Amino acid sequence: MRIKRISIFVITLSFLSACAANAETQLSNNDQSISQPESGFKFSPIAHGHTAELLQFITHYTKLNETEQQTAYMAVVQALAENPDDLKLKIKRAAILAVPNSVQRDSKLAQQYLNALLADEQLSESNQSLVQLIHAFTLDHQNQVKKSNAITKKADSLKKKNKALSRKLNDIKNIEKTMIERNAQTAKP
């Protein structure tokens, strides 16, 4: 199940990257400015490059072993301490905390960081799309965890009820056995 989610996440990120790469851009010969595609979205090759780099980082990070993941996370946290306004590092930190096979996975903390990133107006549109995707993924994971916890609690409750009913059934059997023994003793003259 975990591998399936990771695969879906990576595939979705790949499609996002492919869609952004295939967007049509037209450069005017006079001012070399980038015009808007027909879809109405602004396209910035620089922003797309940063997003593609983030996607590559996430893909690479998920393939690392535990110690390498811890090292990568510490490097991002340390770099972020030195440059707290770096959006790319903030996205990396949130992604590390959000991806399923991360040693550092903490969906609640990732959710806080992702909400802060979504509120940041300096986030490019392509990075905002990536953050929204990770945000949706994290929300889904949190909902799945809540459902799983509810099912576990319900199963525990049913086990306790089952034990109580088994004890009552055994008590009833003992009472019935005692009554049969008494009837057998009184029937013997």
Side-chain angles (χ1 to χ4, degrees):
M1 182 81 165
R2 192 175 201 180
I3 293 173
K4 187 177 180 181
R5 286 187 181 168
I6 292 170
S7 299
I8 291 171
F9 182 68
V10 171
I11 289 169
T12 306
L13 291 177
S14 299
F15 282 136
L16 177 65
S17 178
C19 288
N22 290 330
E24 294 181 22
T25 59
Q26 299 174 353
L27 297 175
S28 67
N29 292 334
N30 297 341
D31 61 2
Q32 296 295 319
S33 64
I34 298 173
S35 65
Q36 290 183 331
E38 293 178 15
S39 65
F41 292 105
K42 294 179 183 175
F43 181 77
S44 170
I46 296 171
H48 169 65
H50 290 296
T51 305
E53 183 182 328
L54 288 167
L55 289 170
Q56 288 174 344
F57 171 80
I58 293 167
T59 303
H60 175 72
Y61 179 83
T62 59
K63 295 177 183 176
L64 299 175
N65 64 35
E66 289 183 12
T67 56
E68 291 170 335
Q69 283 185 359
Q70 289 174 343
T71 304
Y73 179 71
M74 293 308 296
V76 168
V77 170
Q78 194 172 34
L80 198 54
E82 294 171 7
N83 190 2
D85 296 330
D86 190 342
L87 289 174
K88 192 165 64 171
L89 290 172
K90 289 179 180 181
I91 295 171
K92 284 182 179 182
R93 177 183 59 187
I96 288 171
L97 294 171
V99 294
N101 62 341
S102 176
V103 175
Q104 312 307 47
R105 187 170 196 183
D106 185 347
S107 293
K108 290 181 182 178
L109 188 57
Q111 192 68 34
Q112 292 173 3
Y113 290 143
L114 291 166
N115 286 335
L117 283 166
L118 289 173
D120 194 337
E121 293 178 7
Q122 295 178 355
L123 200 61
S124 69
E125 288 184 35
S126 58
N127 282 346
Q128 187 173 17
S129 296
L130 175 62
V131 170
Q132 287 173 342
L133 180 66
I134 297 170
H135 184 265
F137 177 77
T138 306
L139 281 176
D140 180 59
H141 175 260
Q142 287 178 340
N143 289 337
Q144 294 298 328
V145 168
K146 286 178 186 176
K147 286 178 184 177
S148 177
N149 289 341
I151 289 170
T152 303
K153 286 180 183 179
K154 189 173 182 177
D156 290 342
S157 173
L158 290 173
K159 284 180 184 177
K160 288 179 184 177
K161 287 180 181 180
N162 189 19
K163 285 182 182 179
L165 289 173
S166 294
R167 275 188 254 130
K168 286 181 182 180
L169 181 62
N170 287 335
D171 290 344
I172 291 171
K173 286 180 182 178
N174 289 336
I175 291 171
E176 183 180 9
K177 184 179 175 183
T178 305
M179 289 175 63
I180 291 172
E181 288 174 359
R182 282 187 193 166
N183 287 341
Q185 287 177 357
T186 56
K188 290 182 189 178

